[in-house]
Amino acid sequence: MIALAQGMAGVALVMGFALLCIRQIGAASVLLAVQCVAVAVSAVTLQQPLMAIPPVLLAVGAWFAPDYLATLGSPTSPIGGSKLGVSAAAVLAVLCQSQGNAGLPLAIVLLSVLLAATRRHALMHVMALVGLQNGVVLAGCLLGPASIGSAVPLLIAGLVLPLPLATCLVLPALTWRWARAARWVGWLDPALALLVFAATLLVPLDSLASIFAPLLGLDGVLRSFQRRTRPAMSVVGRGLALLTGIFPILAVCAPNPVIAWLAILASIMASRLPTLARRWNDAVLAFVGAGVALFGLLWLMLTPTVVGYFGVFAGFAAIAAVVPELAPVLVVLVLRLAGQTSWPPAAEAIGVGVAFGGLLACGAVAILRSSRPVVSLLQQGQASIAALSLCLGWADGRFAALVLLILLFLCRSAARMKHEPVASLAVAGLSGAPPLGVFPGLVLVALALANHHPWLLLPVGCALVPILLAGLPRRLLAFSPGRAIPSIGWLPLALALLIGYFAPDGLVRWWHVLTAGQG
């Protein structure tokens, strides 16, 4: 039975190579159906019949729709030609065999990532996500439901990965600009946000969730009040915007990593679907990153391998690059992950490298002065610094990351306000300008770096300078008491000031205890 399972996994691997070579979309869909069947047979032979459900369902869809799918676009070939794509795939497949049982699933995942990166056609991107799902299912079969707590979350995760993009292909007339909402809907939006915020305060949560869930709930309330001033916003748009605030709360509250991943994927769907037609490639990158992160999480639940950590860090980085709103939330998930098992030194090095790469990218974007919104750039940069401090592997680094994340959430909430001077002060505080905003957290990160890796202070400081300059106001702030004082944006700014400089000793000791036992 094990030999049969390995043989069918090998068939799935061969189908991955074939997808890189094929130019006809209809034929590619048939090959993809064969790959799904091979994965389903592997699941059955590995005594995980429930895990065969996702590939079987997707195989049926791919097998019976090749003629229709072929009408959605012209034939496509990999960037650089099939020979270059297959050569790169062969090198990846050979290198993956050094990972033992993880070799075949890892090879299928990497081949799918390569397919998504080298194909221009949208349908081939969806096929790449289906192949990525097949690799995840194979990894889940090796784990078994006992390792993940329940088979249901993994079954759902293995099925939903390619569905958002596939839905938008099958329903090209789908639109999110419905009729203008009634006036009462504008008040229902903040009412629901307030209800969610109250739930984060009243529902019993674990230590980490009790810190960040109320902060995300407050952020959702401020976002809803901002949306209330946009009467032309549709019902669907308001609903999706509300969901983008609820799903991150579920992610930081979920003790099961797979459930947290599902909440992150749902948040990506809610934020990307309205703009999917204009920013298709960004959405593909986010969903591919989500699939790679899920593969890494599954292997970390089996054994803390370097491959698993690399998958988590690389997948989260791809998601944060496309959806900046999720960057701090993903760092919170890494913080939770650090409390579940000790990290090997290689994993810490990978985490530091990925976080530092993200910080350098934010600094480069700030220097080039692109059209990217400044708040998105700033929160990505500060989240990268928090991740770098977290991946140092020391208690003071985790404590500094915790404080920086708290201040980051508060400053980000205040930066959503359009009133001056609240908005300018919040953006400046979000950039790290002293003495407000995230500045106390940055000081703690600098102290942690000086204690363990002082050589990092220079490159981190150089990367932070353009980020700081990008957040400074271009002109002197004009203070008008009649306009500024009533703004609700002063609340998170005041909370950031109190937490940064006047946090009670008991609260600080609790944070130290919370982070001291991690890693």
Side-chain angles (χ1 to χ4, degrees):
M1 297 295 288
I2 299 298
L4 178 60
Q6 292 177 345
M8 297 308 296
V11 171
L13 183 62
V14 172
M15 291 299 102
F17 279 98
L19 287 174
L20 286 169
C21 299
I22 198 70
R23 294 186 179 182
Q24 298 296 327
I25 295 179
S29 64
V30 175
L31 291 176
L32 190 64
V34 174
Q35 186 190 75
C36 292
V37 172
V39 172
V41 174
S42 300
V44 173
T45 55
L46 290 172
Q47 299 180 355
Q48 300 292 337
L50 291 178
M51 296 304 300
I53 297 176
V56 166
L57 293 178
L58 293 177
V60 172
W63 183 267
F64 286 101
D67 295 333
Y68 170 73
L69 296 178
T71 64
L72 296 178
S74 58
T76 177
S77 60
I79 296 175
S82 299
K83 292 183 179 179
L84 180 61
V86 172
S87 299
V91 173
L92 291 175
V94 171
L95 293 177
C96 290
Q97 301 314 306
S98 62
Q99 299 299 318
N101 291 335
L104 285 176
L106 179 61
I108 294 173
V109 168
L110 293 182
L111 289 179
S112 301
V113 174
L114 184 62
L115 177 63
T118 58
R119 291 301 180 112
R120 299 182 180 91
H121 195 274
L123 184 58
M124 296 303 293
H125 293 160
V126 176
M127 292 182 178
L129 289 178
V130 176
L132 187 57
Q133 169 250 299
N134 288 333
V136 170
V137 169
L138 280 177
C141 292
L142 295 175
L143 283 173
S147 301
I148 63 173
S150 174
V152 176
L154 186 54
L155 284 174
I156 299 175
L159 185 62
V160 301
L161 184 59
L163 291 186
L165 298 185
T167 301
C168 292
L169 280 180
V170 176
L171 301 176
L174 188 65
T175 179
W176 304 102
R177 298 180 180 179
W178 287 9
R180 179 175 173 176
R183 178 170 297 183
W184 61 269
V185 177
W187 287 105
L188 180 62
D189 189 355
L192 293 176
L194 285 170
L195 183 62
V196 173
F197 177 53
T200 61
L201 297 175
L202 300 177
V203 175
L205 302 171
D206 60 37
S207 299
L208 201 61
S210 63
I211 295 175
F212 292 105
L215 295 176
L216 288 168
L218 176 62
D219 182 65
V221 171
L222 295 180
R223 292 176 64 185
S224 66
F225 274 99
Q226 284 297 108
R227 293 193 298 269
R228 192 180 61 83
T229 61
R230 300 165 59 186
M233 195 172 185
S234 67
V235 177
V236 175
R238 289 185 184 276
L240 291 175
L242 184 64
L243 290 177
T244 57
I246 295 177
F247 287 132
I249 297 176
L250 299 178
V252 300
C253 294
N256 189 313
V258 177
I259 297 178
W261 179 89
L262 285 171
I264 291 295
L265 184 70
S267 184
I268 297 173
M269 293 166 54
S271 62
R272 293 293 96 187
L273 282 180
T275 61
L276 194 59
R278 302 192 310 270
R279 306 183 65 178
W280 176 271
N281 291 331
D282 288 349
V284 172
L285 176 61
F287 284 107
V288 169
V292 173
L294 177 60
F295 181 82
L297 287 174
L298 292 180
W299 279 110
L300 289 184
M301 286 186 278
L302 177 64
T303 178
T305 61
V306 175
V307 174
Y309 284 105
F310 178 77
V312 171
F313 294 144
F316 282 179
I319 296 173
V322 178
V323 191
E325 294 289 330
L326 293 179
V329 179
L330 295 172
V331 180
V332 174
L333 298 186
V334 176
L335 181 61
R336 181 182 291 278
L337 187 65
Q340 296 176 351
T341 181
S342 59
W343 290 7
E348 296 174 358
I350 292 174
V352 170
V354 172
F356 186 65
L359 179 60
L360 289 179
C362 293
V365 172
I367 292 175
L368 296 176
R369 298 182 180 275
S370 67
S371 58
R372 193 175 188 86
V374 64
V375 174
S376 300
L377 175 65
L378 296 180
Q379 65 179 338
Q380 285 175 320
Q382 300 300 341
S384 298
I385 295 177
L388 189 149
S389 178
L390 171 61
C391 293
L392 292 176
W394 299 89
D396 54 352
R398 292 188 293 271
F399 175 77
L402 177 69
V403 176
L404 180 58
L405 286 172
I406 293 173
L407 299 177
L408 172 57
F409 279 117
L410 290 172
C411 292
R412 185 183 70 170
S413 299
R416 300 187 189 281
M417 299 294 103
K418 304 301 182 182
H419 304 91
E420 294 292 348
V422 177
S424 297
L425 287 176
V427 172
L430 192 59
S431 69
L436 303 177
V438 301
F439 178 73
L442 293 177
V443 172
L444 293 176
V445 171
L447 293 175
L449 292 176
N451 289 335
H452 306 291
H453 301 286
W455 62 273
L456 279 174
L457 287 173
L458 180 59
V460 170
C462 292
L464 188 59
V465 169
I467 297 176
L468 173 62
L469 295 178
L472 294 179
R474 299 291 182 262
R475 55 184 176 82
L476 295 177
L477 301 180
F479 182 80
S480 176
R483 295 181 57 190
I485 291 180
S487 175
I488 195 176
W490 290 112
L491 175 61
L493 281 182
L495 290 176
L497 178 65
L498 292 175
I499 292 175
Y501 294 98
F502 307 104
D505 293 339
L507 183 62
V508 174
R509 283 196 297 269
W510 178 48
W511 289 345
H512 275 292
V513 172
L514 182 62
T515 55
Q518 300 181 11

